[in-house]
Amino acid sequence: MRSFPIVFAVAVCFIAGCTSQLPDPLPNRAYDPEAIVIIPGECIRGPWIESGNSFRVTGDYDGHLGLLMQLSLNVALDSEMTTDNVYRLVPRASIIEAFGEDAAQVKNAYQEIFNEYRAHFGENPDNALVSTVYYCGGLVITANKEFAGIPAGENLAPILHVFPDYLKESVPIPTIVVPDDYIPLQLNNPIKFWIDDHEIVDELVEFEVRMPVKIGMMLTLLRDRITNPSAEMQFTDEVLTGHFAIPRGLR
């Protein structure tokens, strides 16, 4: 599985549950984040995060030159130290505590699944910030002006290349059943407009995004398994929305 840098995301990592950014567990001291994160559906907060003026022209991932952007999930996470200089991101404590007398068992069950998942990646894993939010097509993305030959307000999805194949090859979360034909979203998910015969021009283009997803309630499933080991994960159908802008267009 490849990693992709968070720093150039169209939706930069503005994580609602970690204040407005990645948590800083050790101010004024060097530390490293754990590369593996499992984000349960209960941690999803609101729509895609909007952020402008972050993109890059690249030939990465598919070999085609294009405008690469990223859509990011807005999530509620806390940080906790695993060693003296490494921290990891976990579901916010208040989310776990909402399970009341079952909270400790839910937390332990999450830890067991995390340990099994983490073991798949060996000593030096790439970023695998996977969620129980699942996508199976239906993205609608529109621009406020003509873009790559598509008139303003019309869906750009037919010319958009959504997610490299490696997302479809994500390591499954142990014991979690994914709906048929759905792929799990990561914290940051790349989208790309191929440049092809178009010209890059200097202009501010604003985009609106609507993405239908299924959000799996993983922590609720772990609670249900306390009394029913054969319990199945419940899903909610949502449409994630967002707005972002880039200072380049395709003409």
Side-chain angles (χ1 to χ4, degrees), residues 42-109:
E42 289 87 350
C43 293
I44 303 303
R45 292 291 180 266
W48 295 101
I49 300 163
E50 59 186 51
S51 180
N53 300 336
S54 294
F55 74 101
R56 67 173 181 168
V57 177
T58 177
D60 291 356
Y61 304 111
D62 53 15
H64 288 269
L65 189 65
L67 298 180
L68 180 71
M69 314 169 199
Q70 292 188 30
L71 300 175
S72 293
L73 293 174
N74 186 348
V75 296
L77 300 175
D78 284 339
S79 64
E80 65 178 26
M81 301 306 299
T82 58
T83 68
D84 287 343
N85 62 348
V86 176
Y87 74 95
R88 67 169 183 154
L89 299 177
V90 295
R92 182 185 278 181
S94 60
I95 294 175
I96 298 293
E97 291 165 0
F99 289 97
E101 62 182 15
D102 296 324
Q105 289 175 276
V106 170
K107 183 176 181 179
N108 290 339

Side-chain angles (χ1 to χ4, degrees), residues 1-250:
M1 178 180 295
R2 280 182 178 173
S3 62
F4 44 85
I6 292 175
V7 293
F8 58 81
V10 157
V12 177
C13 223
F14 175 88
I15 301 180
C18 312
T19 66
S20 309
Q21 57 190 0
L22 287 175
D24 188 357
L26 294 174
N28 304 317
R29 178 177 170 183
Y31 59 88
D32 296 309
E34 163 65 62
I36 308 300
V37 181
I38 298 176
I39 307 167
E42 289 87 350
C43 293
I44 303 303
R45 292 291 180 266
W48 295 101
I49 300 163
E50 59 186 51
S51 180
N53 300 336
S54 294
F55 74 101
R56 67 173 181 168
V57 177
T58 177
D60 291 356
Y61 304 111
D62 53 15
H64 288 269
L65 189 65
L67 298 180
L68 180 71
M69 314 169 199
Q70 292 188 30
L71 300 175
S72 293
L73 293 174
N74 186 348
V75 296
L77 300 175
D78 284 339
S79 64
E80 65 178 26
M81 301 306 299
T82 58
T83 68
D84 287 343
N85 62 348
V86 176
Y87 74 95
R88 67 169 183 154
L89 299 177
V90 295
R92 182 185 278 181
S94 60
I95 294 175
I96 298 293
E97 291 165 0
F99 289 97
E101 62 182 15
D102 296 324
Q105 289 175 276
V106 170
K107 183 176 181 179
N108 290 339
Y110 174 87
Q111 181 65 48
E112 290 175 4
I113 287 177
F114 176 86
N115 290 344
E116 185 176 347
Y117 183 72
R118 178 65 173 77
H120 283 281
F121 296 92
E123 292 297 322
N124 298 299
D126 288 333
N127 290 342
L129 286 72
V130 70
S131 73
T132 58
V133 179
Y134 301 97
Y135 173 74
C136 187
L139 176 70
V140 175
I141 179 169
T142 59
N144 68 336
K145 58 187 65 176
E146 180 182 328
F147 186 86
I150 305 295
E154 293 192 11
N155 191 9
L156 299 170
I159 65 168
L160 179 66
H161 301 273
V162 183
F163 315 141
D165 287 341
Y166 74 79
L167 280 182
K168 300 177 182 178
E169 300 169 356
S170 296
V171 173
I173 301 173
T175 80
I176 299 300
V177 178
V178 178
D180 290 343
D181 300 321
Y182 280 78
I183 60 173
L185 298 182
Q186 295 191 355
L187 184 58
N188 299 297
N189 304 278
I191 61 176
K192 188 174 184 180
F193 290 103
W194 289 357
I195 294 173
D196 292 334
D197 296 329
H198 297 101
E199 179 183 358
I200 301 176
V201 297
D202 293 333
E203 62 178 357
L204 185 67
V205 182
E206 298 181 4
F207 298 91
E208 296 285 347
V209 177
R210 293 178 60 84
M211 174 176 284
V213 297
K214 288 184 178 293
I215 300 180
M217 300 292 105
M218 176 182 172
L219 298 178
T220 302
L221 170 65
L222 300 182
R223 190 274 315 278
D224 293 345
R225 285 178 177 173
I226 296 172
T227 56
N228 179 13
S230 61
E232 297 182 358
M233 187 159 67
Q234 301 301 305
F235 297 89
T236 60
D237 292 317
E238 301 286 350
V239 177
L240 303 179
T241 62
H243 175 272
F244 62 91
I246 65 172
R248 299 291 186 274
L250 290 181

